[in-house]
Amino acid sequence: MKYNIATITDYLEELTGNKTRRLAHAKGKDKKLPLAIATSYSFYDLEFMETQVTIAIPSGLDSITPMQLSKHQAKMIEAFNHPVIFALESVASYQVARLTQAKVDFIVPGKMVFIPSMLIVLRELKNTVKEMPEMMPPVAQLLMLYHLETRIIDGLTASEIAELTGLAYPTINVALRWLVTNNCIALVGSKQKHVQITMSKKELWDKSLPLMTSPIERILFTDTKPEESLMAGETAMGHYTMLAEPATPVIAIDKATARKNAAIMNKEYGDIKVEVWKYSPALLSEDEWADRLSLYLCMKDSEDERIQMECDTLIEEMKW
């Protein structure tokens, strides 16, 4: 490898406009890696875009296949507990698609950057950074509602939140970055950054609401209620408010449950209406009913005046 860490950090700073800061690499964590992997790379830790990352530079002359890099990346993330970016001397054009399909974070200094775990995609010889979405992404929305209704995330690190929710660390990290960019939270600290939320719950809800969207991805029907489902829609509204429950029960499930129960669901017919949510409704509820705030987001744009009135009731009766 003809590049050194200075070349790599200069390239990242030039293309993204974000400063990097060298951190001491915790060599003790290298022992968690298989020896064959640990001895095949040089590791450097950086603070980049308010996130701790490890740059892994292959030390051998032999090329490593995209499949090997994908497997090595998974082992490294598990050991280091933060994103890992491979610095490669070159990538054959036919290998680029394989690396990107495997979602391997890599850079080729002077040519290419692909870091999907941090929402950074810069194509060869183009200084274009993938923009963050304007509306709150599903996982970021889940974290806000989790803080407002389930457990306070103020003071927690990304790895602690990942452990609590069961979501992948890179997924949590991307969501937190979006929330920081949109001034919903801050990340403070040096090596281990933790979430800082200075607004009250009601203030945070008022700030977040214009950025939030309905969690419903699609509607299906079934005759059999999946075990992992929660009561939702007008059925849950009837539980929380004075709205009469509908003749057709409404339930909410996540996408994984929808896939698992695909054989018993269809798009048109069934005694039960199924809302497939973009995030897990079970993470926000301790009983059989969908949480109040997600329910509000599902129902607030209804043209039914009765539902509009009861949506106001949902928020008025929230215990912030």
Side-chain angles (χ1 to χ4, degrees), residues 1-10 44 55 57 87 109:
M1 164 63 77
K2 66 183 179 181
Y3 304 121
N4 56 33
I5 190 62
T7 304
I8 294 163
T9 55
D10 288 348
Y44 300 89
I55 303 295
I57 303 178

Side-chain angles (χ1 to χ4, degrees), residues 38-278:
T39 56
S40 296
Y41 300 87
S42 298
F43 298 112
Y44 300 89
D45 283 10
L46 304 175
E47 183 180 67
F48 174 54
M49 297 184 73
E50 300 185 336
T51 301
Q52 183 175 352
V53 302
T54 292
I55 303 295
I57 303 178
S59 53
L61 297 177
D62 295 334
S63 61
I64 303 175
T65 67
M67 182 63 70
Q68 290 173 317
L69 285 174
S70 180
K71 292 179 179 179
H72 292 181
Q73 178 177 257
K75 293 287 187 183
M76 292 175 188
I77 291 174
E78 183 179 349
F80 302 149
N81 211 21
H82 56 243
V84 174
I85 305 169
F86 294 104
L88 307 176
E89 187 169 342
S90 62
V91 177
S93 57
Y94 70 91
Q95 297 282 41
V96 172
R98 296 180 184 178
L99 287 169
T100 55
Q101 287 170 2
K103 296 184 179 179
V104 173
D105 290 354
F106 71 94
I107 63 175
V108 181
K111 293 185 178 180
M112 189 181 306
V113 173
F114 182 79
I115 313 177
S117 69
M118 299 179 70
L119 289 181
I120 303 173
V121 178
L122 293 92
R123 294 189 177 276
E124 189 169 3
L125 302 179
K126 290 184 180 180
N127 186 7
T128 55
V129 179
K130 183 179 179 181
E131 295 182 357
M132 286 190 172
E134 291 184 7
M135 300 304 290
M136 193 174 290
V139 176
Q141 182 167 310
L142 170 65
L143 294 185
M144 287 293 88
L145 299 180
Y146 189 81
H147 173 79
L148 294 172
E149 298 179 288
T150 305
R151 176 167 177 174
I152 292 173
I153 65 171
D154 182 39
L156 300 182
T157 64
S159 59
E160 289 171 335
I161 296 172
E163 184 176 352
L164 279 175
T165 61
L167 299 174
Y169 174 89
T171 302
I172 296 294
N173 186 56
V174 169
L176 292 178
R177 283 189 53 243
W178 190 95
L179 293 170
V180 169
T181 301
N182 288 272
N183 301 312
C184 295
I185 67 169
L187 290 175
V188 298
S190 52
K191 290 185 179 180
Q192 284 278 35
K193 290 188 177 294
H194 58 267
V195 174
Q196 183 183 71
I197 300 176
T198 57
M199 288 178 278
S200 69
K201 287 187 176 183
K202 184 60 167 63
E203 289 171 335
L204 185 60
W205 166 253
D206 290 340
K207 180 175 180 60
S208 301
L209 180 56
L211 303 171
M212 290 182 167
T213 58
S214 169
I216 301 172
E217 182 176 83
R218 65 186 188 276
I219 300 294
L220 298 172
F221 292 88
T222 184
D223 291 325
T224 305
K225 182 176 179 289
E227 292 183 2
E228 300 87 349
S229 62
L230 298 181
M231 306 310 295
E234 291 93 333
T235 303
M237 286 288 282
H239 168 72
Y240 289 119
T241 72
M242 298 299 292
L243 187 72
E245 294 190 18
T248 300
V250 184
I251 63 173
I253 59 175
D254 60 18
K255 291 184 282 187
T257 303
R259 287 193 296 269
K260 187 166 64 174
N261 292 274
I264 63 170
M265 296 185 185
N266 65 81
K267 296 181 180 180
E268 296 182 27
Y269 305 108
D271 294 332
I272 302 172
K273 180 180 178 181
V274 183
E275 297 176 351
V276 181
W277 284 17
K278 301 169 188 173

Side-chain angles (χ1 to χ4, degrees), residues 285-303:
S285 178
E286 296 180 353
D287 52 34
E288 62 178 314
W289 306 97
D291 68 287
R292 284 177 175 270
L293 298 184
S294 292
L295 184 59
Y296 174 85
L297 294 169
C298 292
M299 309 294 288
K300 68 181 180 68
D301 295 325
S302 171
E303 296 181 357

